[in-house]
Amino acid sequence: MQNYIFQRPETGQVENVIKERWCWEAHYIDGSLLKQFDDNGIFHQFREIDQSKLLSFKMVNPESLPAFTLIFNPKTMKLIHFYRNIVLNVGTSEEKKIKIYCFGFEKKFFGRTQKSLMAIMPNDELITTDNLDNLEVS
C-alpha cells in the first residue's frame, strides 16, 4: 500500500499516512475537488474541507466499489466524518479489529439539531441512521 505524506500544521512535522480502505472526496460548486489521499501523494485532513463551497461529499473505495455520495447544502448543513474503531473478543486468540467509516450531516430544525449518519460496515454495506451508539457489529 502506498504511503501518503502529511505535514502537521502545528509543528511542521512530516508524517507518513497509510491509505484507508474508504476515503473521502470533497466536490466543490466550482468543479474543483479535494481528496483525502490526493493524486500527488499528499494526505488531507477533514478540517481542510471548505464546507461553504461544498457541493457533494463522497466516500470512495480504491478497489473500485461504488461510491457513496452525500449531496450537500452549505447553507443548511454541517458535514460530519469520523471513524468508529471496535475490537471484538478482546484478549483472546480470536481478537478482531474493525473500522467503520462514518459520515453524514447535522441540520437545524426549529432550534433543534438533527443528525443523519451513514456507516460503511466491514462488509461494505451502508447503514443510514440518526444514532450510531447502538450499532451492533459481529
Side-chain angles (χ1 to χ4, degrees):
M1 251 194 172
Q2 179 181 350
N3 281 345
Y4 288 75
I5 301 296
F6 171 65
Q7 186 169 6
R8 195 160 291 284
E10 305 84 13
T11 63
Q13 181 180 359
V14 175
E15 300 174 20
N16 286 317
V17 179
I18 297 172
K19 192 168 189 175
E20 293 285 346
R21 177 166 161 69
W22 285 92
C23 313
W24 57 255
E25 291 182 354
H27 294 255
Y28 294 108
I29 295 166
D30 66 3
S32 61
L33 168 68
L34 179 67
K35 293 181 178 182
Q36 182 179 15
F37 296 89
D38 77 16
D39 298 336
N40 298 318
I42 305 297
F43 168 79
H44 294 278
Q45 289 187 314
F46 178 75
R47 67 180 172 182
E48 294 178 57
I49 296 172
D50 184 349
Q51 294 189 32
S52 71
K53 298 176 183 174
L54 193 61
L55 176 65
S56 66
F57 180 82
K58 293 186 179 200
M59 292 297 294
V60 298
N61 183 298
E63 297 173 9
S64 298
L65 293 171
F68 297 113
T69 303
L70 170 65
I71 303 301
F72 193 78
N73 182 342
K75 294 178 183 173
T76 62
M77 300 164 81
K78 177 184 173 189
L79 190 61
I80 300 169
H81 177 269
F82 61 95
Y83 305 105
R84 174 77 43 99
N85 294 298
I86 299 171
V87 181
L88 302 173
N89 303 314
V90 177
T92 72
S93 61
E94 296 179 15
E95 184 173 292
K96 184 177 179 182
K97 295 180 182 180
I98 295 173
K99 181 177 274 191
I100 300 172
Y101 298 87
C102 306
F103 66 104
F105 63 92
E106 288 182 356
K107 203 171 190 179
K108 293 205 186 269
F109 289 105
F110 303 108
R112 302 184 99 192
T113 301
Q114 178 184 354
K115 285 185 184 180
S116 292
L117 298 169
M118 277 65 70
I120 305 172
M121 304 303 288
N123 65 355
D124 300 318
E125 176 183 14
L126 182 71
I127 294 174
T128 304
T129 184
D130 63 352
N131 184 349
L132 290 170
D133 292 338
N134 297 324
L135 188 65
E136 290 189 23
V137 180
S138 55

